[in-house]
Amino acid sequence: MPETRISLLDLTRAELAARLAERGLSPVHAARVWSYLYWDCVSSVEEMPDLPAKVRAYLEEEFSLPVPAVANEAHSADGFTRKFLLALADGRQIETVAMRFTGRMTACVSTQVGCAMGCVFCATGQQGFQRHLAPGEIVAQALHIQRLLRARGIAPGQTAYERLRNLVLMGMGEPLHNYEAVMQAVEILRASSGLAIAASRITLSTVGVVPGIVRLADEARPMSLAVSLHAATAEERAALMPAARRWPLDELMNACRYYCEKLQRRIFFEWTLIDGQNDTEAQAHTLGALLRGLPAQVNLIPLNPTTGFGGRPGQGLAAKRFQQILDEHYGLPSTIRQRRGVDIAAGCGQLAGAPPGVR
Ligand code: SAH
Ligand code: SF4
C-alpha cells in the first residue's frame, strides 16, 4: 500500500511542535522527538521508548519515518570517499556521497531523481528528469551519513560521536529547480538542536537558474553559492549546458552581481576542465575578463569521464597554466581539485574533489 502518512523528516522543529500541539501534546514531547530523530538518529518510532504511549500512537498513526535502503555502495581506493546508492520509498534511487577532507566529514546530497538540465558531460543529465525529492528525502541522506558516523562509536579521546560538519547540494539534480523543498531541507539540517550544520558549511551548486539566484539574494539565504560555469562565452556554454539557452550568460552574470552586492558575499564558480575544449589559455583570459570585479573564486575540476560524453579530463599542465593566468592577469583566486574518488565516479560522476566552501 502506498505511504499516505507525512514524513517526520519533512517537518521543521516548529512544524513538528505545531502538529503535536494540535493534538494537545506538549512541546516537551516535540523536543524529545526531535532529539530522537536528529541526535540519536533513530530509524523508527519504536526506538523512542520514553515517550508517553499516546505520543507514540499519534506518531505511528500520522507519520512515517523513511530510512532509505542502501541498494549499492562503493568505496574509493584511498578510503576517503564512500558513495551510496539509496533506494527511496517508491523504489527510485539516488546517490549520496560521504567524503572526508582534512579530517572532516562532508555529505554530498541529491536534490532530484535525475535532472532536467541535460548538461552533456553529466551522468545525471544523461539520465533525464524523474522527479523532485521531498525535503525529508534530502534530510534522510544527511542522516544516513550521520548514522554511519554514530555506528563507528566514539573515537578514543573524544567525548561524543563525530558530527557531520559540511554539506554540499551537489549530488543528482538541480537544487534551484526544486527550490522550496531544498530550502525546507536546509532549514531542518541547520536547526541548532538537530544535525546543526552551520549555514556557512552548506554549499548549493547551480547550473545557473537565474530566477533562483535572484530569489536566494532577495531572501538572504545563508548558505554558500557555487555556480557551474564551465565556459565563458554564451555559445560555448550553450553547447555544454542546454540550460544556458534558457538563462543566457549575460543574464546569469547580472544575477551573480546582484547576489554578491545584495549579500556582500563571494560566489564560487565551478569549471570542469575538458581536455582541449575549455582549458586553453584564451579561455582562461575570457573567464578572467568575465569575472572581473566580482568577488569570485574559481574551482577547476578535471572532468570525470562518463559513458555518454566523449570528452577527456583536462591535463594537469593545462590546469596549472589556466590557474596562473587567472591569478597573474586578473587577481582571481582559484583551486585545482584533486580527482579524489574518481575511481568510483563519486558524486554521480560529477564530484572530483573537495567542493567549494569546505574547510
Ligand atoms: N545541478 C547542480 C549541482 C549538481 S552537479 C549543478 O550543475 O551545479 C555538481 C557539479 O558537478 C557541477 O559543477 C557540475 O557541472 C559538475 N559535474 C557534472 N558532471 C561532471 C563530470 N562528469 N565531471 C566533473 N564535474 C561534473
Ligand atoms: Fe543537472 Fe547539474 Fe548534471 Fe547539469 S551538471 S545535468 S544541472 S546535475
Side-chain angles (χ1 to χ4, degrees):
M1 215 176 69
E3 181 61 77
T4 51
R5 298 171 300 173
I6 301 162
S7 164
L8 278 173
L9 305 183
D10 278 341
L11 303 177
T12 62
R13 190 176 162 167
E15 288 166 351
L16 178 68
R19 298 268 178 167
L20 264 64
E22 281 168 18
R23 286 288 177 110
L25 300 170
S26 146
V28 173
H29 300 317
R32 189 72 191 102
V33 173
W34 190 261
S35 77
Y36 268 131
L37 290 175
Y38 296 108
W39 183 259
D40 302 300
C41 304
V42 303
S43 314
S44 71
V45 173
E46 279 160 31
E47 294 169 58
M48 306 183 183
D50 67 359
L51 287 178
K54 62 179 177 190
V55 179
R56 275 198 288 153
Y58 172 58
L59 294 180
E60 301 268 21
E61 197 181 296
E62 299 282 335
F63 301 95
S64 64
L65 175 44
V67 178
V70 178
N72 204 349
E73 184 178 342
H75 297 222
S76 64
D78 64 13
F80 286 112
T81 309
R82 287 175 81 178
K83 181 164 88 160
F84 299 92
L85 192 62
L86 299 180
L88 303 169
D90 66 355
R92 295 192 193 256
Q93 297 183 336
I94 50 168
E95 291 183 5
T96 304
V97 185
M99 300 171 289
R100 192 172 276 291
F101 294 110
T102 57
R104 299 226 190 278
M105 188 60 97
T106 294
C108 172
V109 300
S110 296
T111 55
Q112 297 176 319
V113 187
C115 182
M117 301 296 152
C119 304
V120 297
F121 48 82
C122 171
T124 309
Q126 291 157 14
Q127 276 173 36
F129 176 76
Q130 295 183 41
R131 72 166 171 86
H132 292 301
L133 292 188
E137 291 174 321
I138 300 170
V139 170
Q141 298 172 64
L143 267 180
H144 176 73
I145 309 296
Q146 185 60 52
R147 284 194 189 106
L148 294 183
L149 292 174
R150 280 184 76 87
R152 285 217 313 252
I154 298 173
Q158 302 294 314
T159 53
Y161 297 104
E162 183 189 347
R163 309 289 301 166
L164 173 61
R165 295 291 293 271
N166 299 299
L167 186 112
V168 294
L169 297 152
M170 283 198 184
M172 302 169 98
E174 167 49 48
L176 296 184
H177 184 211
N178 187 15
Y179 192 95
E180 304 284 347
V182 167
M183 296 308 140
Q184 173 86 348
V186 166
E187 193 179 334
I188 296 166
L189 295 165
R190 288 178 58 211
S192 58
S193 52
L195 288 179
I197 304 173
S200 59
R201 294 178 180 278
I202 300 178
T203 304
L204 182 152
S205 174
T206 178
V207 71
V209 178
V210 166
I213 295 172
V214 171
R215 193 166 166 197
L216 288 173
D218 287 339
E219 296 175 0
R221 295 287 175 177
M223 69 289 256
S224 299
L225 178 63
V227 173
S228 301
L229 213 49
H230 308 320
T233 65
E235 304 73 48
E236 285 169 315
R237 203 162 176 269
L240 290 173
M241 311 162 82
R245 291 194 198 105
R246 179 143 175 218
W247 299 292
L249 187 59
D250 52 347
E251 286 178 30
L252 173 61
M253 295 320 294
N254 285 341
C256 289
R257 267 185 286 278
Y258 178 73
Y259 179 95
C260 293
E261 277 162 28
K262 183 124 191 173
L263 300 184
Q264 290 296 300
R265 234 188 256 159
R266 71 179 159 170
I267 294 182
F268 298 92
F269 288 93
E270 289 155 287
W271 191 280
T272 291
L273 291 161
I274 310 168
D275 189 28
Q277 276 201 40
N278 68 353
D279 62 351
T280 65
E281 295 194 6
Q283 278 153 324
H285 282 288
T286 315
L287 173 62
L290 182 75
L291 298 184
R292 196 174 292 176
L294 261 185
Q297 181 178 317
V298 177
N299 293 311
L300 301 166
I301 311 160
L303 177 81
N304 264 354
T306 55
T307 46
F309 180 61
R312 283 174 302 137
Q315 300 303 306
L317 213 60
K320 282 259 177 298
R321 181 75 192 116
F322 205 93
Q323 181 171 46
Q324 203 180 14
I325 292 171
L326 295 181
D327 176 36
E328 287 174 6
H329 294 261
Y330 305 92
L332 193 55
S334 63
T335 55
I336 302 174
R337 300 302 186 190
Q338 308 152 33
R339 301 181 65 219
R340 182 177 278 178
V342 73
D343 52 337
I344 56 165
C348 325
Q350 298 171 351
L351 282 175
V358 170
R359 276 143 297 166

